[in-house]
Short mmCIF file of all heavy atoms in Angstrom, two decimals:
data_model
loop_
_atom_site.label_atom_id
_atom_site.label_comp_id
_atom_site.label_asym_id
_atom_site.label_seq_id
_atom_site.Cartn_x
_atom_site.Cartn_y
_atom_site.Cartn_z
N THR T 551 202.84 61.58 -201.98
CA THR T 551 203.85 62.49 -201.96
C THR T 551 204.74 62.22 -200.76
O THR T 551 204.36 61.83 -199.72
CB THR T 551 203.20 63.99 -201.96
OG1 THR T 551 204.21 64.86 -201.65
CG2 THR T 551 202.16 64.11 -200.87
N PRO T 584 204.50 69.04 -194.15
CA PRO T 584 203.36 68.91 -195.24
C PRO T 584 204.02 69.04 -196.62
O PRO T 584 205.08 69.43 -196.78
CB PRO T 584 202.52 70.25 -194.85
CG PRO T 584 203.49 71.24 -194.15
CD PRO T 584 204.49 70.39 -193.60
N HIS T 585 203.27 68.60 -197.57
CA HIS T 585 203.51 68.88 -198.97
C HIS T 585 202.38 69.67 -199.53
O HIS T 585 201.21 69.46 -199.07
CB HIS T 585 203.73 67.64 -199.69
CG HIS T 585 204.99 66.89 -199.31
ND1 HIS T 585 206.33 67.29 -199.77
CD2 HIS T 585 205.19 65.79 -198.62
CE1 HIS T 585 207.18 66.54 -199.19
NE2 HIS T 585 206.62 65.66 -198.53
N GLY T 586 202.52 70.33 -200.63
CA GLY T 586 201.46 70.97 -201.36
C GLY T 586 201.43 70.36 -202.71
O GLY T 586 202.33 69.72 -203.20
N CYS T 621 204.94 70.91 -206.11
CA CYS T 621 204.75 71.06 -204.67
C CYS T 621 204.84 72.63 -204.21
O CYS T 621 205.73 73.19 -204.64
CB CYS T 621 205.76 70.27 -203.89
SG CYS T 621 205.59 70.44 -202.11
N THR T 622 203.81 72.97 -203.52
CA THR T 622 203.73 74.36 -203.11
C THR T 622 204.37 74.73 -201.79
O THR T 622 204.20 75.81 -201.45
CB THR T 622 202.35 74.82 -203.08
OG1 THR T 622 201.47 73.89 -202.44
CG2 THR T 622 201.56 74.99 -204.46
N ASP T 623 204.72 73.74 -201.07
CA ASP T 623 205.31 73.98 -199.74
C ASP T 623 206.74 73.63 -199.70
O ASP T 623 207.14 72.41 -200.01
CB ASP T 623 204.49 73.13 -198.67
CG ASP T 623 204.99 73.34 -197.25
OD1 ASP T 623 205.99 72.74 -196.83
OD2 ASP T 623 204.27 74.17 -196.74
N PHE T 624 207.63 74.45 -199.26
CA PHE T 624 209.05 74.16 -199.40
C PHE T 624 209.50 73.18 -198.35
O PHE T 624 209.62 73.45 -197.13
CB PHE T 624 209.85 75.57 -199.15
CG PHE T 624 211.29 75.53 -199.79
CD1 PHE T 624 211.45 76.18 -201.04
CD2 PHE T 624 212.31 74.67 -199.25
CE1 PHE T 624 212.70 76.02 -201.50
CE2 PHE T 624 213.51 74.41 -199.86
CZ PHE T 624 213.73 75.26 -201.02
N CYS T 625 209.62 72.04 -198.82
CA CYS T 625 209.62 70.77 -197.86
C CYS T 625 210.94 70.15 -197.67
O CYS T 625 211.21 69.39 -196.80
CB CYS T 625 208.58 69.71 -198.46
SG CYS T 625 208.80 69.30 -200.15
N SER T 626 212.00 70.35 -198.61
CA SER T 626 213.30 69.83 -198.48
C SER T 626 214.17 70.51 -199.38
O SER T 626 213.75 71.47 -200.19
CB SER T 626 213.29 68.31 -198.86
OG SER T 626 213.20 68.21 -200.26
N HIS T 629 213.03 70.39 -202.85
CA HIS T 629 211.62 70.79 -202.98
C HIS T 629 211.28 71.24 -204.40
O HIS T 629 210.28 70.96 -205.07
CB HIS T 629 211.25 71.96 -202.13
CG HIS T 629 210.07 72.84 -202.44
ND1 HIS T 629 208.82 72.46 -202.31
CD2 HIS T 629 210.13 74.10 -203.07
CE1 HIS T 629 207.95 73.42 -202.92
NE2 HIS T 629 208.80 74.52 -203.27
N MET T 632 210.26 68.77 -206.75
CA MET T 632 209.00 68.09 -206.60
C MET T 632 207.96 68.54 -207.74
O MET T 632 207.26 69.61 -207.57
CB MET T 632 208.45 68.24 -205.29
CG MET T 632 208.90 67.27 -204.35
SD MET T 632 208.03 67.26 -202.72
CE MET T 632 206.58 66.18 -203.01
CU1 CUA C 702 206.94 68.64 -201.17
CU2 CUA C 702 207.74 70.90 -201.65
#
Side-chain angles (χ1 to χ4, degrees):
T551 171
H585 292 283
C621 175
T622 49
D623 182 277
F624 205 105
C625 50
S626 74
H629 155 79
M632 274 192 86

